[in-house]
Structures are given as structure tokens and as C-alpha cells.
Amino acid sequence: MLEGEGLEVLQEKGVLSFLDIHFARFVSGLAEKNNDLVSFSAGLLSSHTRQGHICLDLSAMAGRPLWEQEKGEDPFTCPKLKEWKEGLEQCGVVGSPGEYRPLILDEGLKLYLYRYWEYQHKLAESLRDRVEGLQPPADLEGLKQGLSRLFPGDASDGVMDMQKVAAFTALSKRFCVISGGPGTGKTTTVAKILALLLEQGHATKLRIALASPTGKGATRMQEAIREAKENLPCQRDIRDSIPSDASTIHRLLGSIRGSPYFRHNSDNPLAVDVLVVDEASMVDLALMSKLVQALPAECRMILLGDKDQLSSVEAGAVLGDICDVEPSSTFSKAFSGMLRRVTEYDLRPGGKEPKGIRDCIVQLDRSYRFPRDSGIAVLSHLVNRGDGDAAMDCLMDGRYGDIQWKPLPSPDDLSRRIRERILAHYGGYMAKSGPGECLQLFDQFRILCAIREGPYGVRALNILAEKILKDKGIIRPERGYYAGKPIMITQNDYSLELFNGDLGVILRDPGGARDLRAFFPEKNGGFRKIHPARLPEHEMVYSMTVHKSQGSEFDRILLILPDRDTPLLTRELVYTAVTRARERVEIWCKEDIFRAAVARRTERRSGLREALWRSETS
């Protein structure tokens, strides 16, 4: 154990940041004894939270070195588990679950900041209440007919329509997760689910809310729902009752400016009977916990998302924890029996009877966007499987026309190599004067990066793209703003109704003396214009991080990975990038870096999975 000035050593080694050390000293000052152990533990916990973990798992860290030590360097390892546990239990600032202390140590020897333990506890408690028991629809025969009409596939051919299973699940449970990759029909399925709920006699009184973690996601969701409901084989009054307006989760809850709190909470719940949340993989633990706490007890909650995508930027991997199903896990006998009665599908439950949340999770595995044997489909499957060698071979062997690999150019050669791509894909949209056509053309292609800084990061690529377009005379960026500049909002502004992830373009205003204005799409299909000086924080977006691309789709993408390995490079990042493309993926990388990325899984430590699946393993 390091003592005295040991925190500075951890900072020098990159284990702790300045803020971690400040927090460690603050907590240590509150401790009654074992101050050095408390200081070390609090600093390490703070560091883990910054990295997206919910807790510090003592069992996983005990006795391990925190960095690769050089020859001749004094060894440093974390305390042994028994010593660590007993020391924290005696210090006065660490409590057990249910106690109000700065730090909480649970029975699984996971150490939490109090607020994260509380977020996790309340979320798990609420979800466990929602998943218990089946709730047969009032009109079971009507549901059977409705499912047959909206999902007309025949069960006799032995092929199970998982969209139909998802619809039955959503109508028989108060909580439902529909997970699936791009193009698997999650939004189409939920439009049919809403129609079925309305047909169950609620057409005039069912209060439905649609939400997404980002403004961009909300816009895409409402467009997809609006399109899907127009083609539903049901009565016009049912279609008209399906809402197509979606909002951000923050807006739904009633964000209070400058505060982490919301107007809607457990004491002032939302007035909703059904809540649908799209892009659920992007929702962090704190926000999901606050959202669930703000729901009435009888409200149905339906989560849509891709469990294999990148997790939220903030701490937690909620959708991944919820969907962390063992391969051998099956639906319960009660659920399987009712599904057979309504759909004639035979799920054949296994010998061990699962309980609770397993009946609430449905995985859609058929993509309607591209064939199973397309390069994008095959590559994304191999990446998801963690098979870096096979994925690299798939990229390099030339069998598929929709995926391509090229060796990563040196930083000095990057400008020459990328020039053709920039001019081909970004040169044309600049000639369009209308914001609609301009953004439509711009969204056909995007450069995606894993990192922000460095020669292969977003900042460098954006500057490079701008320079190439300027040298060709396509843009004139003498000042900060110019006609054709694409921008992405990075900070919510509720007064302007602009939200993190919203994409706009700077153009000359045909109705305003040709002055420059920022144009953003509106819900009704039109555009609104805002003076650039009024814009909240934003950034140029010829290139964007893979994280920022979640929820977006492009015809073609160019993924550029850095020239050295980093923990940020994971199979989830590569999978998310590849599945942003509708038609073609090009990847520039070093072979060993790509293989290392595909081999590495994102690890977000938490106790949520154990809390939700407790009944499965007990």
C-alpha cells in the first residue's frame, strides 16, 4: 500500500487524475481510521467512475498491480481482499447497502459512491417490480387476431417471427426490451405494438410518450414512427391515436436549468401509460434510474436498442446489463404456454425454470437493411463474435463489394490519400442552396474516428477536410462561419430547442439579405434558421467520433483507426461504426490494431446485472 505522498505516484503513473486525488483526500479527511487505505480506495473508485464503471470491484482488483512496473521499480499492488474489506468496514465513511455514507460496500465486495449505489438500487428495485408475473391482455382473442393481422407470417413453416414475439411480450409485461441490430425493424415493431395496445380498448385514453436520449435520436424516431403507422393494417382512428412526436428524455422529465434534478420524479410522476425509449444503449445509469423513478407504477416501459453497440458516454451500461442473458437461458413455462396459445409458436422452455426479467427480453436477428451474406452483415457478425482474424480476412480477401480495407497512411501522407474521398463526397452538397437537399446529400457519407485528438482524430480530420475544400475553392472559411459548414450541437439549449447531437448547416439566408444562418430540421419537415452568434456550443462535423454517430445512418462510411492501441478501441466501437453504413464500409487501419480492437470487449463494472438476475442464479 502506498502511504504519504503515494497519491502523487499514482497520478504520475496515470492511474489517478487531479480530481481523483482531490476526492480521495476529501473522503480520507472524513475517515476515523485507516486513512491511507480510504484515500487509495476513494481515489481508485473515482478513477473507475470516470472510466464508465459504476463501482470498484475489490475481488477483481485485490492483489493486482495497477500498472506494468519497470525493472528495478518498487512493486505496488492493491491490498489483499481480506485486508481491504476489513479496513474499509472499520473506517467510518464506508457503509453497507441502505446506510447513508459517502461510500457503500455491498455483499459482493463492490465499492460504490453513494449516489451510484442509490441509482442502481432504485433502478433494479423498480425493474424487478415491473417484470414479475404475466399480465394477460383483457381481450386475448382480439390480441390473437391483431397479431395475425399485423404479423401475418405462418408458424407452420417452423420459422419464428421474433417481431411477433416482441409484440406479445410488450402486451403481456409492464417492462419489455426489444434489442436488435440496424435494420431489424425495432421501430416498425413498436408501431404495431402501440396499435395493438390501442385496439385493446384504450384508443381514446391511452397516454403514450416517445423518447430518446438525444435530439437527433428523437427526430429519427418520430420520422420512423410516422412512416410506419401510415402502412399499418388497422382502422384510421387507431393510426391517428399513435403519436409521432418524440422528445429527448431530459425534455420529457422536465430538465431544470443548471440542476441535475428534474420536475418529474417519484413524487411528481409523468402522466403516461406507455413509454417507448429508443437508442436505449446510450442511456446512462443515472438518467435511466431517474426516468424509471418518474414513471407511474402501472406504466408500460418498452426499451428499443442494440445491446452490442457502444455504451453510454456517462457511467453505466444499462442495456447491456439488462440483456446479459446466458446462452442457455430460456423463457418461462408460463410465458411459453401463453405465447403458444396466442401465436402457435413453441419456444420449448428448458429444464431450469427461469423467472423475472428473462421473459421481458426479445432479440431481433433478421436484418431487412442488408442480406445475411452481405459484407457488412458478415463483418459485423464476426466483430461481434470477437474473431479479429476472421474479420480481418473478411475485409482483405475482396469477396464482398460493400466492405474494403486499406492500410493506414502515415500522418504526412494522410492529406494526399484522403483528398479524393473528401472532394468526391463533400464537394457536391456545397452547391445546393436549400438546407433540405444540402443535409440530405451531406448525410450520405461520414468519416468516423475512434478518438478526438492526434493525427487520426476528429479534430485533425475536420481541419484537414476543411483545408482540402478550401484549397479547391469550394468553401471560403476566412471567418468562423461560411456557407456550407456542417455543424453538430454539443450542448443542450432548451430555449432554442437545440440538443446534443442535432445536425445543422450554415447557409446564406435567401430571405435575409443573404446573411449567414444556421439551418436545422424541424418536426414538420421544414427548417428553422438561427443566427450563428446565438448557437450553443457546437463543432464542425465532416468527421465525428463513433460515439457521436450512434443513432445515425449513412450510405457510406470511412472508419479511420489510430496507429497505436488504446483501451478505447473495442469490438463494440468497431461494430457500432460498421453498422452505421447502409451500403458501403471502408476501414483504414493497421492489421494488428484492428485485431486487438475486435478482441477487446468493453467492460463496465456494476452490480446491476446481479441485482436484476438474482432470481435466475439463486
Side-chain angles (χ1 to χ4, degrees):
M1 221 10 256
L2 292 175
E3 299 180 0
E5 300 301 315
L7 292 178
E8 280 73 13
V9 175
L10 295 179
Q11 185 178 19
E12 290 173 7
K13 294 295 183 180
V15 176
L16 302 183
S17 70
F18 173 78
L19 288 177
D20 298 331
I21 291 177
H22 182 76
F23 177 73
R25 287 175 172 157
F26 170 74
V27 174
S28 176
L30 301 175
E32 299 166 359
K33 56 174 69 174
N34 298 330
N35 299 70
D36 287 332
L37 180 65
V38 171
S39 179
F40 165 76
S41 302
L44 196 57
L45 173 58
S46 175
S47 173
H48 272 56
T49 303
R50 283 191 299 102
Q51 296 170 45
H53 302 287
I54 299 303
C55 60
L56 172 64
D57 189 339
L58 303 191
S59 299
M61 299 297 296
R64 286 181 48 188
L66 287 177
W67 67 85
E68 189 174 337
Q69 285 142 17
E70 300 175 2
K71 192 173 183 180
E73 184 179 13
D74 290 336
F76 170 80
T77 58
C78 294
K80 293 182 179 179
L81 188 59
K82 185 173 184 294
E83 169 195 341
W84 205 348
K85 172 182 178 292
E86 292 177 352
L88 289 178
E89 289 174 340
Q90 297 169 9
C91 70
V93 295
V94 177
S96 300
E99 294 184 307
Y100 187 64
R101 302 283 179 87
L103 307 180
I104 299 296
L105 183 65
D106 71 8
E107 60 275 10
L109 300 186
K110 293 182 175 65
L111 185 67
Y112 298 81
L113 299 174
Y114 176 81
R115 70 177 184 277
Y116 280 107
W117 174 83
E118 186 179 40
Y119 288 146
Q120 178 180 286
H121 172 71
K122 290 188 174 180
L123 175 59
E125 189 176 52
S126 178
L127 292 184
R128 284 199 302 266
D129 288 343
R130 290 176 185 278
V131 304
E132 288 304 322
L134 284 170
Q135 293 184 321
D139 183 4
L140 206 59
E141 186 59 33
L143 174 60
K144 184 175 182 178
Q145 295 174 6
L147 286 169
S148 297
R149 175 170 26 89
L150 291 165
F151 304 92
D154 187 356
S156 62
D157 60 5
V159 178
M160 195 174 300
D161 185 349
M162 295 309 294
Q163 291 187 3
K164 191 173 186 178
V165 175
F168 170 78
T169 304
L171 269 83
S172 60
K173 307 289 286 188
R174 282 186 296 149
F175 177 70
C176 175
V177 178
I178 305 174
S179 176
T184 51
K186 296 185 293 292
T187 309
T188 301
T189 301
V190 88
K192 295 178 180 180
I193 289 170
L194 296 178
L196 289 168
L197 285 169
L198 290 163
E199 287 178 350
Q200 287 282 309
H202 304 295
T204 59
K205 60 182 180 180
L206 199 65
R207 300 168 298 179
I208 302 170
L210 309 176
S212 179
T214 67
K216 176 179 61 178
T219 300
R220 289 182 59 82
M221 185 186 191
Q222 64 193 20
E223 290 172 352
I225 291 288
R226 186 180 294 123
E227 179 180 351
K229 74 177 187 177
E230 289 305 314
N231 300 314
L232 294 180
C234 58
Q235 296 180 4
R236 169 56 64 180
D237 64 324
I238 296 295
R239 292 200 297 267
D240 290 343
S241 297
I242 299 174
S244 53
D245 286 342
S247 72
T248 64
I249 296 175
H250 284 79
R251 187 174 182 82
L252 177 71
L253 290 175
S255 181
I256 300 173
R257 187 182 294 273
S259 167
Y261 302 105
F262 296 99
R263 287 193 294 274
H264 291 288
N265 49 44
S266 57
D267 296 324
N268 181 31
L270 291 160
V272 293
D273 300 305
V274 180
L275 172 65
V276 181
V277 180
D278 198 10
E279 298 293 347
S281 65
M282 299 171 64
V283 185
D284 61 85
L285 175 73
L287 185 58
M288 187 68 82
S289 181
K290 292 174 183 179
L291 176 62
V292 170
Q293 290 177 56
L295 296 181
E298 297 305 314
C299 176
R300 293 178 190 269
M301 186 179 193
I302 303 171
L303 301 184
L304 309 178
D306 186 347
K307 65 180 179 61
D308 297 314
Q309 277 193 29
L310 282 165
S311 302
S312 57
V313 175
E314 302 297 330
V318 176
L319 189 66
D321 284 339
I322 292 173
C323 295
D324 193 7
V325 185
E326 295 297 331
S328 60
S329 181
T330 58
F331 294 95
S332 69
K333 292 180 181 178
F335 180 90
S336 301
M338 186 175 292
L339 178 69
R340 188 182 307 113
R341 177 182 171 188
V342 175
T343 67
E344 299 182 5
Y345 288 159
D346 190 359
L347 287 176
R348 298 185 182 278
K352 182 180 178 181
E353 177 68 1
K355 300 177 183 178
I357 198 168
R358 180 62 191 93
D359 287 346
C360 301
I361 302 167
V362 180
Q363 177 71 30
L364 306 182
D365 53 10
R366 178 184 175 187
S367 176
Y368 297 88
R369 181 182 299 173
F370 31 71
R372 288 181 182 270
D373 59 353
S374 69
I376 294 176
V378 173
L379 179 61
S380 60
H381 173 71
L382 292 172
V383 169
N384 242 344
R385 204 171 69 189
D387 194 337
D389 291 336
M392 195 71 237
D393 291 343
C394 176
L395 272 174
M396 297 176 68
D397 64 14
R399 280 184 296 165
Y400 303 100
D402 56 342
I403 58 175
Q404 186 178 22
W405 170 81
K406 287 188 177 297
L408 184 70
S410 68
D412 293 337
D413 198 34
L414 182 59
S415 177
R416 182 186 66 83
R417 286 275 304 277
I418 205 170
R419 176 183 173 83
E420 179 184 343
R421 305 293 192 282
I422 297 294
L423 295 177
H425 295 296
Y426 289 149
Y429 87 92
M430 301 282 186
K432 306 300 178 182
S433 57
E437 191 176 9
C438 186
L439 283 173
Q440 183 180 18
L441 286 175
F442 178 70
D443 266 350
Q444 290 179 355
F445 172 77
R446 193 71 83 250
I447 300 170
L448 301 184
C449 301
I451 55 178
R452 295 193 62 83
E453 306 299 336
Y456 304 103
V458 165
R459 293 186 191 278
L461 267 296
N462 273 323
I463 293 171
L464 186 57
E466 194 175 58
K467 183 179 185 303
I468 290 170
L469 293 169
K470 177 186 176 183
D471 291 346
K472 192 67 174 177
I474 296 174
I475 61 173
R476 298 180 179 179
E478 288 80 10
R479 300 178 182 177
Y481 298 103
Y482 53 87
K485 181 176 183 177
I487 59 172
M488 175 179 283
I489 300 300
T490 58
Q491 184 181 53
N492 294 339
D493 188 319
Y494 290 91
S495 62
L496 292 176
E497 294 190 350
L498 291 176
F499 304 98
N500 185 16
D502 284 355
L503 187 73
V505 62
I506 306 293
L507 294 172
R508 296 204 175 276
D509 184 5
R514 304 289 294 169
D515 290 338
L516 292 175
R517 293 291 185 270
F519 288 83
F520 293 90
E522 288 191 301
K523 294 179 181 179
N524 59 9
F527 285 82
R528 57 198 176 95
K529 53 189 178 183
I530 298 172
H531 193 285
R534 298 184 61 204
L535 291 173
E537 290 187 20
H538 58 278
E539 61 187 18
M540 191 162 45
V541 72
Y542 296 109
S543 169
M544 63 198 305
T545 62
V546 178
H547 261 105
K548 287 286 188 181
S549 75
Q550 288 189 92
S552 299
E553 296 175 3
F554 312 101
D555 291 345
R556 297 171 294 279
I557 67 122
L558 169 59
L559 172 63
I560 300 179
L561 299 182
D563 59 348
R564 61 196 65 188
D565 197 15
T566 166
L568 289 174
L569 296 178
T570 63
R571 74 181 63 165
E572 290 84 2
L573 181 138
V574 177
Y575 169 82
T576 301
V578 169
T579 54
R580 296 310 90 206
R582 287 183 285 254
E583 298 176 3
R584 182 177 173 80
V585 173
E586 188 173 346
I587 301 179
W588 292 5
C589 64
K590 293 184 175 181
E591 295 180 47
D592 59 330
I593 299 299
F594 180 85
R595 289 189 173 95
V598 174
R600 181 184 294 116
R601 289 198 65 176
T602 300
E603 288 191 19
R604 291 276 179 99
R605 296 193 183 279
S606 80
L608 183 60
R609 186 201 183 279
E610 290 86 345
L612 292 176
W613 290 85
R614 187 176 298 152
S615 60
E616 301 282 329
T617 56
S618 59

Coordinates of all heavy atoms in Angstrom, one line a residue, residues 22-79:
H22 N -8.1 14.8 -5.3 CA -8.8 15.8 -4.5 C -10.0 15.1 -3.8 O -10.2 15.3 -2.6 CB -9.4 16.9 -5.4 CG -10.1 18.0 -4.7 ND1 -9.5 19.0 -3.9 CD2 -11.4 18.2 -4.5 CE1 -10.4 19.7 -3.4 NE2 -11.6 19.3 -3.7
F23 N -10.7 14.2 -4.5 CA -11.8 13.5 -3.9 C -11.2 12.5 -2.8 O -11.8 12.4 -1.7 CB -12.6 12.7 -4.9 CG -13.7 11.9 -4.4 CD1 -14.8 12.4 -3.9 CD2 -13.5 10.5 -4.3 CE1 -15.8 11.6 -3.4 CE2 -14.5 9.7 -3.8 CZ -15.7 10.3 -3.3
A24 N -10.1 11.9 -3.1 CA -9.5 10.9 -2.2 C -9.2 11.6 -0.9 O -9.4 11.0 0.2 CB -8.3 10.3 -2.8
R25 N -8.6 12.7 -1.0 CA -8.2 13.5 0.3 C -9.4 14.0 1.0 O -9.4 14.0 2.3 CB -7.3 14.6 -0.1 CG -5.9 14.1 -0.5 CD -5.0 15.2 -1.0 NE -3.6 14.8 -1.2 CZ -2.7 15.3 -2.0 NH1 -3.1 16.4 -2.7 NH2 -1.5 14.8 -2.1
F26 N -10.4 14.4 0.3 CA -11.6 14.8 1.0 C -12.3 13.7 1.8 O -12.6 13.8 3.0 CB -12.6 15.3 0.0 CG -14.0 15.6 0.5 CD1 -14.2 16.7 1.3 CD2 -15.1 14.7 0.3 CE1 -15.5 17.0 1.9 CE2 -16.3 15.0 0.8 CZ -16.5 16.1 1.6
V27 N -12.4 12.5 1.2 CA -13.0 11.4 1.9 C -12.1 10.9 3.0 O -12.6 10.6 4.1 CB -13.3 10.2 0.9 CG1 -13.8 9.0 1.6 CG2 -14.3 10.7 -0.2
S28 N -10.8 10.9 2.8 CA -9.9 10.5 3.8 C -10.0 11.3 5.0 O -9.9 10.9 6.2 CB -8.5 10.5 3.3 OG -7.5 10.2 4.3
G29 N -10.2 12.6 4.8 CA -10.4 13.6 5.9 C -11.6 13.3 6.8 O -11.7 13.7 7.9
L30 N -12.6 12.6 6.2 CA -13.8 12.3 7.0 C -13.7 10.9 7.7 O -14.5 10.6 8.6 CB -15.0 12.1 6.0 CG -15.4 13.3 5.2 CD1 -16.5 13.0 4.2 CD2 -15.8 14.5 6.1
A31 N -12.6 10.2 7.4 CA -12.5 8.8 8.0 C -12.0 8.9 9.4 O -11.2 9.8 9.8 CB -11.5 8.0 7.1
E32 N -12.4 7.9 10.2 CA -12.0 7.8 11.6 C -10.7 7.1 11.7 O -9.9 7.3 12.7 CB -13.1 7.1 12.4 CG -14.4 7.9 12.3 CD -15.6 7.0 12.9 OE1 -15.3 5.8 13.2 OE2 -16.7 7.5 12.9
K33 N -10.4 6.2 10.8 CA -9.1 5.4 10.8 C -8.9 4.8 9.4 O -9.7 5.0 8.5 CB -9.2 4.2 11.8 CG -10.4 3.3 11.6 CD -10.4 2.1 12.5 CE -10.6 2.5 14.0 NZ -10.8 1.3 14.8
N34 N -7.7 4.2 9.3 CA -7.3 3.6 8.0 C -7.3 4.7 6.9 O -7.8 4.4 5.8 CB -8.1 2.4 7.7 CG -8.0 1.3 8.7 OD1 -7.0 1.1 9.3 ND2 -9.1 0.6 8.8
N35 N -6.8 5.9 7.2 CA -6.9 7.0 6.2 C -6.2 6.7 4.9 O -6.7 7.1 3.8 CB -6.4 8.3 6.8 CG -7.2 8.7 8.1 OD1 -7.1 8.0 9.1 ND2 -7.9 9.7 8.0
D36 N -5.0 6.0 5.0 CA -4.3 5.7 3.7 C -5.1 4.8 2.8 O -5.2 4.9 1.6 CB -2.9 5.2 4.0 CG -2.0 6.2 4.6 OD1 -2.2 7.4 4.2 OD2 -1.1 5.9 5.3
L37 N -5.7 3.8 3.5 CA -6.5 2.8 2.7 C -7.7 3.4 2.1 O -8.1 3.2 1.0 CB -6.9 1.6 3.6 CG -7.7 0.5 3.0 CD1 -6.9 -0.2 1.9 CD2 -8.2 -0.5 4.0
V38 N -8.4 4.3 2.9 CA -9.6 5.0 2.4 C -9.2 5.9 1.3 O -9.9 6.0 0.3 CB -10.2 5.8 3.6 CG1 -11.3 6.7 3.1 CG2 -10.8 4.8 4.6
S39 N -8.1 6.7 1.5 CA -7.7 7.6 0.4 C -7.4 6.9 -0.9 O -7.9 7.3 -2.0 CB -6.4 8.3 0.9 OG -5.9 9.2 -0.1
F40 N -6.7 5.8 -0.8 CA -6.4 5.0 -2.0 C -7.7 4.5 -2.6 O -7.9 4.6 -3.9 CB -5.5 3.8 -1.6 CG -5.4 2.8 -2.7 CD1 -4.6 2.9 -3.8 CD2 -6.1 1.5 -2.5 CE1 -4.5 2.0 -4.8 CE2 -6.0 0.6 -3.5 CZ -5.2 0.8 -4.6
S41 N -8.6 3.9 -1.8 CA -9.8 3.3 -2.4 C -10.7 4.3 -3.0 O -11.3 4.1 -4.1 CB -10.5 2.6 -1.2 OG -9.7 1.6 -0.6
A42 N -10.8 5.5 -2.3 CA -11.7 6.6 -2.9 C -11.1 7.1 -4.2 O -11.9 7.4 -5.1 CB -11.8 7.7 -1.8
G43 N -9.8 7.3 -4.3 CA -9.2 7.8 -5.5 C -9.4 6.8 -6.6 O -9.7 7.2 -7.8
L44 N -9.2 5.5 -6.3 CA -9.3 4.5 -7.4 C -10.8 4.3 -7.8 O -11.1 4.2 -9.0 CB -8.8 3.1 -6.8 CG -8.6 2.0 -7.9 CD1 -7.6 2.5 -8.9 CD2 -8.1 0.8 -7.2
L45 N -11.7 4.5 -6.9 CA -13.2 4.4 -7.2 C -13.5 5.6 -8.1 O -14.3 5.4 -9.1 CB -14.0 4.4 -5.9 CG -15.5 4.6 -6.1 CD1 -16.1 3.5 -6.9 CD2 -16.2 4.6 -4.7
S46 N -13.0 6.8 -7.8 CA -13.3 8.0 -8.6 C -12.8 7.8 -10.0 O -13.5 8.1 -11.0 CB -12.6 9.2 -7.9 OG -12.8 10.3 -8.8
S47 N -11.6 7.2 -10.1 CA -11.0 6.9 -11.4 C -11.9 5.9 -12.2 O -12.1 6.1 -13.4 CB -9.6 6.4 -11.3 OG -9.0 6.0 -12.5
H48 N -12.3 4.9 -11.6 CA -13.2 3.9 -12.2 C -14.5 4.5 -12.7 O -15.0 4.2 -13.8 CB -13.4 2.7 -11.3 CG -12.4 1.7 -11.3 ND1 -11.1 1.9 -11.1 CD2 -12.5 0.3 -11.6 CE1 -10.4 0.8 -11.3 NE2 -11.2 -0.2 -11.5
T49 N -15.0 5.4 -11.9 CA -16.3 6.0 -12.3 C -16.1 6.9 -13.5 O -17.0 6.9 -14.4 CB -16.8 6.9 -11.1 OG1 -17.0 6.0 -9.9 CG2 -18.2 7.5 -11.4
R50 N -15.0 7.6 -13.6 CA -14.7 8.4 -14.8 C -14.6 7.6 -16.0 O -14.9 8.0 -17.1 CB -13.4 9.2 -14.6 CG -13.5 10.4 -13.7 CD -12.2 11.3 -13.8 NE -11.0 10.6 -13.4 CZ -10.1 10.1 -14.2 NH1 -10.3 10.2 -15.5 NH2 -9.0 9.4 -13.7
Q51 N -14.1 6.3 -15.8 CA -14.0 5.4 -17.0 C -15.3 4.7 -17.3 O -15.3 3.9 -18.3 CB -12.9 4.4 -16.6 CG -11.5 4.9 -16.4 CD -10.6 3.9 -15.9 OE1 -10.5 2.8 -16.3 NE2 -9.8 4.3 -14.9
G52 N -16.4 5.0 -16.7 CA -17.7 4.5 -17.0 C -18.2 3.4 -16.1 O -19.3 2.9 -16.3
H53 N -17.3 3.0 -15.2 CA -17.8 1.9 -14.2 C -18.7 2.5 -13.2 O -18.6 3.7 -12.8 CB -16.6 1.3 -13.6 CG -15.6 0.7 -14.5 ND1 -15.8 -0.5 -15.2 CD2 -14.3 1.1 -14.9 CE1 -14.8 -0.8 -16.0 NE2 -13.9 0.2 -15.8
I54 N -19.6 1.7 -12.7 CA -20.5 2.1 -11.6 C -19.8 1.9 -10.2 O -20.1 2.6 -9.3 CB -21.8 1.3 -11.7 CG1 -22.5 1.6 -13.0 CG2 -22.7 1.7 -10.5 CD1 -22.8 3.1 -13.2
C55 N -18.9 0.9 -10.1 CA -18.3 0.5 -8.9 C -16.9 0.1 -9.0 O -16.4 0.0 -10.2 CB -19.2 -0.6 -8.2 SG -19.2 -2.1 -9.2
L56 N -16.2 -0.1 -7.9 CA -14.9 -0.7 -7.9 C -15.0 -2.1 -7.3 O -15.4 -2.3 -6.2 CB -14.0 0.2 -7.0 CG -12.6 -0.4 -6.7 CD1 -11.8 -0.5 -8.0 CD2 -11.9 0.5 -5.7
D57 N -14.7 -3.1 -8.1 CA -14.9 -4.5 -7.7 C -13.6 -4.9 -7.0 O -12.6 -5.2 -7.6 CB -15.1 -5.4 -8.9 CG -15.5 -6.8 -8.6 OD1 -15.2 -7.2 -7.4 OD2 -16.1 -7.5 -9.4
L58 N -13.7 -5.0 -5.6 CA -12.5 -5.3 -4.9 C -12.0 -6.7 -5.2 O -10.8 -7.0 -5.3 CB -12.8 -5.3 -3.4 CG -13.3 -3.9 -2.8 CD1 -13.3 -4.0 -1.3 CD2 -12.5 -2.8 -3.3
S59 N -12.9 -7.7 -5.4 CA -12.4 -9.0 -5.8 C -11.6 -9.1 -7.0 O -10.7 -9.9 -7.1 CB -13.7 -9.9 -5.9 OG -14.4 -10.0 -4.7
A60 N -12.0 -8.3 -8.0 CA -11.3 -8.3 -9.3 C -9.9 -7.5 -9.2 O -9.0 -7.8 -10.0 CB -12.1 -7.6 -10.4
M61 N -9.8 -6.6 -8.2 CA -8.6 -5.8 -8.2 C -7.6 -6.2 -7.1 O -6.4 -5.9 -7.1 CB -9.0 -4.3 -7.9 CG -9.8 -3.7 -9.0 SD -9.0 -3.6 -10.6 CE -7.6 -2.5 -10.2
A62 N -8.1 -7.0 -6.1 CA -7.2 -7.3 -4.9 C -6.0 -8.1 -5.4 O -6.0 -9.0 -6.1 CB -8.0 -8.2 -4.0
G63 N -4.8 -7.6 -4.8 CA -3.6 -8.2 -5.1 C -3.0 -8.0 -6.5 O -1.9 -8.5 -6.8
R64 N -3.7 -7.2 -7.3 CA -3.2 -6.9 -8.6 C -2.4 -5.6 -8.7 O -2.7 -4.7 -8.0 CB -4.4 -6.8 -9.6 CG -5.0 -8.1 -10.0 CD -6.2 -7.8 -10.9 NE -5.8 -7.0 -12.1 CZ -6.6 -6.5 -13.0 NH1 -7.9 -6.7 -12.9 NH2 -6.1 -5.8 -14.0
P65 N -1.4 -5.5 -9.6 CA -0.7 -4.3 -9.8 C -1.5 -3.3 -10.6 O -2.4 -3.8 -11.4 CB 0.6 -4.7 -10.6 CG 0.2 -6.0 -11.3 CD -0.8 -6.7 -10.4
L66 N -1.4 -2.0 -10.4 CA -2.2 -1.0 -11.1 C -1.5 -0.6 -12.4 O -2.1 0.1 -13.2 CB -2.4 0.2 -10.2 CG -3.5 -0.1 -9.1 CD1 -3.6 1.1 -8.2 CD2 -4.8 -0.5 -9.7
W67 N -0.2 -0.9 -12.6 CA 0.4 -0.6 -13.8 C 1.6 -1.6 -14.0 O 2.0 -2.3 -13.1 CB 1.0 0.8 -13.8 CG 2.1 1.1 -12.8 CD1 3.5 0.8 -13.0 CD2 2.0 1.6 -11.5 NE1 4.2 1.2 -11.9 CE2 3.3 1.6 -10.9 CE3 0.9 2.0 -10.7 CZ2 3.6 2.1 -9.7 CZ3 1.2 2.5 -9.4 CH2 2.5 2.5 -8.9
E68 N 2.0 -1.7 -15.2 CA 3.1 -2.6 -15.6 C 4.4 -2.0 -15.1 O 4.9 -1.0 -15.6 CB 3.2 -2.8 -17.1 CG 4.1 -3.9 -17.5 CD 4.1 -4.3 -19.0 OE1 3.0 -4.0 -19.6 OE2 5.0 -4.8 -19.5
Q69 N 5.0 -2.6 -14.0 CA 6.2 -2.0 -13.4 C 7.5 -2.3 -14.1 O 7.6 -3.4 -14.7 CB 6.3 -2.5 -11.9 CG 5.2 -1.8 -11.0 CD 4.6 -2.8 -10.0 OE1 5.2 -3.8 -9.8 NE2 3.5 -2.4 -9.5
E70 N 8.3 -1.3 -14.2 CA 9.6 -1.4 -14.8 C 10.6 -2.2 -14.0 O 10.5 -2.3 -12.7 CB 10.1 0.0 -15.2 CG 9.2 0.8 -16.1 CD 9.7 2.2 -16.4 OE1 10.8 2.5 -15.8 OE2 9.0 2.9 -17.1
K71 N 11.6 -2.6 -14.6 CA 12.7 -3.4 -13.9 C 13.3 -2.5 -12.9 O 13.7 -1.4 -13.2 CB 13.7 -3.9 -14.9 CG 14.6 -5.0 -14.3 CD 15.5 -5.6 -15.4 CE 16.4 -6.7 -14.8 NZ 17.2 -7.3 -15.9
G72 N 13.5 -3.0 -11.7 CA 14.1 -2.3 -10.6 C 13.1 -1.4 -9.8 O 13.5 -0.8 -8.8
E73 N 11.9 -1.2 -10.3 CA 10.9 -0.4 -9.6 C 10.3 -1.1 -8.5 O 10.1 -2.3 -8.5 CB 9.8 0.0 -10.6 CG 8.8 1.0 -10.1 CD 7.7 1.4 -11.2 OE1 7.7 0.7 -12.2 OE2 7.0 2.3 -10.9
D74 N 10.1 -0.4 -7.4 CA 9.4 -1.0 -6.2 C 8.0 -1.5 -6.6 O 7.3 -0.7 -7.2 CB 9.3 0.0 -5.1 CG 10.7 0.4 -4.5 OD1 11.6 -0.5 -4.6 OD2 10.8 1.5 -3.9
P75 N 7.7 -2.7 -6.3 CA 6.4 -3.2 -6.7 C 5.3 -2.6 -6.0 O 5.4 -2.2 -4.8 CB 6.5 -4.7 -6.4 CG 7.5 -4.8 -5.3 CD 8.5 -3.7 -5.5
F76 N 4.2 -2.4 -6.6 CA 3.0 -1.9 -6.0 C 1.8 -2.7 -6.4 O 1.5 -2.9 -7.6 CB 2.7 -0.4 -6.3 CG 1.3 0.0 -5.9 CD1 1.1 0.4 -4.6 CD2 0.2 0.0 -6.7 CE1 -0.1 0.7 -4.1 CE2 -1.0 0.4 -6.3 CZ -1.2 0.7 -4.9
T77 N 1.0 -3.2 -5.5 CA -0.2 -4.0 -5.8 C -1.3 -3.5 -4.9 O -1.0 -2.9 -3.8 CB 0.0 -5.5 -5.6 OG1 0.4 -5.7 -4.2 CG2 1.1 -6.1 -6.5
C78 N -2.5 -3.8 -5.3 CA -3.7 -3.5 -4.5 C -3.6 -4.4 -3.2 O -3.0 -5.4 -3.3 CB -5.0 -3.7 -5.3 SG -5.2 -2.6 -6.7
P79 N -4.3 -3.9 -2.2 CA -4.3 -4.8 -0.9 C -4.9 -6.1 -1.2 O -5.7 -6.3 -2.1 CB -5.2 -3.9 0.0 CG -5.2 -2.6 -0.5 CD -5.1 -2.7 -2.0

